[in-house]
Amino acid sequence: MLLLSREDIKSVVTMKDMIEADKTAFKMTVDGTVKTPLRTVIDGKYDGAFLFMPAYAPELDAAAMKVIDIFPHNVDNGKMTSPAQVMLIDGKDGYVIALLDGTYVTQLRTGASSGAAFDLLAKKECKKGAMIGTGGQAATQLEAMLAARKLDEVKIYDLNAERCQAFAEQMQKELADYGAKIIAAENSDACIEDADLIITVTPSAKPVFDGTKVKAGATISCVGTYEPHKHEMDPAILPRASKIICDSKEAALSETGDLLIPIKDGIISEKDILGSLGDEINGTIKGRENDDEIIVYETVGVAAQDLVAAKVIYDKALEAGKGMNWG
């Protein structure tokens, strides 16, 4: 079994690799070529939750199981909010062939989900980005945004101003090669002002931006909400949106209050949700048709992403001789 650390993974794949891996995963999901039961969620103490996400793809001769634990208060103690591990399993004999740092795999594939959505759904010419949230998923979300479109600047907002400033400064250093200016915003209105691309990646139970202030032509990726009683997206954006597309429509309608709450309140109906990103890839639904459309992308994550990402990482690690053999 190959043990692959964050450093091993980072040395063999790029964000663009992960964006393409996510596209493959989303296509496989709608094509039915991967088996991905809905995740099992067990609530714990301390506002925590334990998530178990299996997947099997016969055409890859591989299966995977990710165990990820969501503890939002960890950020206040300098710990990761979503520690995880991914097991990659050989589909031919059932042996576990790799154990990967699931926290980093999750960060990569979740960031890449926004990157895939922006690559497929955003305007070709985008100059300004905005991101609300600076938790454990934020760094790869920001990188995916920058990988998908050449931006001049990205504004960042977080309720903790000190943490927001520190995050912006750190990201300016780490992502300098992308050439964008990364700025800490004073509030959410200033953050999303004139933004072409917007990401929300928070555990908030209430909206984190004003949907009436999003400009025409923007693409919004809502990442943080995976529970039915929470919605970080402002429902006011939904009547303004030309299209609402999910990573998986089925999963989103089972899990996220971003959509379930507005449906319950009669703001939208299930029919207003166009479909899954894999449907757009296959051409069965239309993506962006003009530069004035507001498009909302809702992502809750599907296990196929972890499987495809783990397989791509494993294959590249074998080729590069990275990782530690164990057992």
Side-chain angles (χ1 to χ4, degrees):
M1 181 170 64
L2 194 63
L3 302 180
L4 292 168
S5 68
R6 177 189 180 97
E7 291 72 24
D8 294 327
I9 296 168
K10 199 167 187 177
S11 71
V12 297
V13 294
T14 66
M15 179 53 73
K16 288 190 176 181
D17 291 332
M18 292 296 95
I19 288 173
E20 293 307 312
D22 266 11
K23 289 180 185 177
T24 298
F26 295 143
K27 178 175 169 54
M28 291 174 67
T29 298
V30 299
D31 289 346
T33 58
V34 59
K35 296 182 180 181
T36 55
L38 290 178
R39 73 185 77 183
T40 297
V41 180
I42 302 174
D43 292 329
K45 295 193 297 182
Y46 317 109
D47 293 327
F50 306 92
L51 285 68
F52 302 88
M53 301 174 65
Y56 169 54
E59 67 182 62
L60 297 181
D61 278 331
M65 168 66 83
K66 183 171 77 174
V67 179
I68 179 169
D69 308 316
I70 310 296
F71 282 74
H73 299 306
N74 280 0
V75 70
D76 298 323
N77 301 312
K79 295 181 178 180
M80 294 181 292
T81 57
S82 51
Q85 300 295 336
V86 175
M87 290 187 296
L88 183 64
I89 304 164
D90 191 322
K92 297 185 294 294
D93 58 21
Y95 275 74
V96 176
I97 54 176
L99 183 65
L100 298 86
D101 181 332
T103 301
Y104 192 49
V105 172
T106 301
Q107 291 168 344
L108 283 175
R109 66 80 145 158
T110 306
S113 181
S114 291
F118 291 149
D119 188 40
L120 294 167
L121 303 175
K123 297 183 299 184
K124 295 302 180 185
E125 294 296 326
C126 295
K127 296 300 180 183
K128 294 184 179 181
M131 187 173 73
I132 300 175
T134 63
Q137 300 295 326
T140 50
Q141 289 291 328
L142 177 56
E143 182 175 5
M145 177 190 288
L146 295 171
R149 289 292 184 271
K150 178 68 175 176
L151 301 178
D152 294 334
E153 69 173 35
V154 181
K155 291 182 179 179
I156 311 294
Y157 176 66
D158 189 277
L159 289 174
N160 186 317
E162 183 178 346
R163 186 168 66 213
C164 184
Q165 183 63 44
F167 177 84
E169 291 175 1
Q170 183 64 31
M171 291 299 98
Q172 186 70 75
K173 295 176 183 177
E174 292 186 12
L175 303 176
D177 289 347
Y178 287 100
K181 187 175 182 180
I182 301 171
I183 306 165
E186 293 184 0
N187 52 58
S188 64
D189 284 352
C191 184
I192 67 170
E193 182 183 13
D194 202 33
D196 300 298
L197 306 177
I198 299 172
I199 292 174
T200 60
V201 56
T202 78
S204 179
K206 59 184 181 180
V208 297
F209 67 95
D210 184 343
T212 67
K213 296 185 177 180
V214 174
K215 80 171 190 178
T219 307
I220 307 165
S221 178
C222 299
V223 181
T225 302
Y226 66 95
E227 296 172 290
H229 65 284
K230 293 182 178 181
H231 61 132
E232 60 177 354
M233 183 207 307
D234 183 359
I237 194 61
L238 295 174
R240 299 184 61 209
S242 299
K243 296 182 176 73
I244 305 167
I245 297 175
C246 308
D247 55 355
S248 165
K249 182 175 178 178
E250 178 187 11
L253 287 174
S254 298
E255 298 180 23
T256 177
D258 274 349
L259 299 178
L260 293 173
I261 292 171
I263 290 172
K264 181 181 178 181
D265 292 343
I267 297 171
I268 59 170
S269 69
E270 287 190 20
K271 293 180 180 179
D272 294 315
I273 301 168
L274 193 59
S276 304
L277 199 59
D279 296 317
E280 196 277 344
I281 292 170
N282 282 345
T284 54
I285 65 172
K286 291 183 178 180
R288 179 170 293 277
E289 296 178 85
N290 63 68
D291 283 354
D292 292 326
E293 287 186 301
I294 293 175
I295 297 180
V296 170
Y297 176 66
E298 183 68 39
T299 173
V300 295
V302 292
Q305 292 171 266
D306 300 302
L307 171 55
V308 178
K311 186 66 165 59
V312 168
I313 292 165
Y314 174 74
D315 289 344
K316 287 182 176 290
L318 281 184
E319 183 179 350
K322 297 289 184 177
M324 182 178 74
N325 282 299
W326 178 71

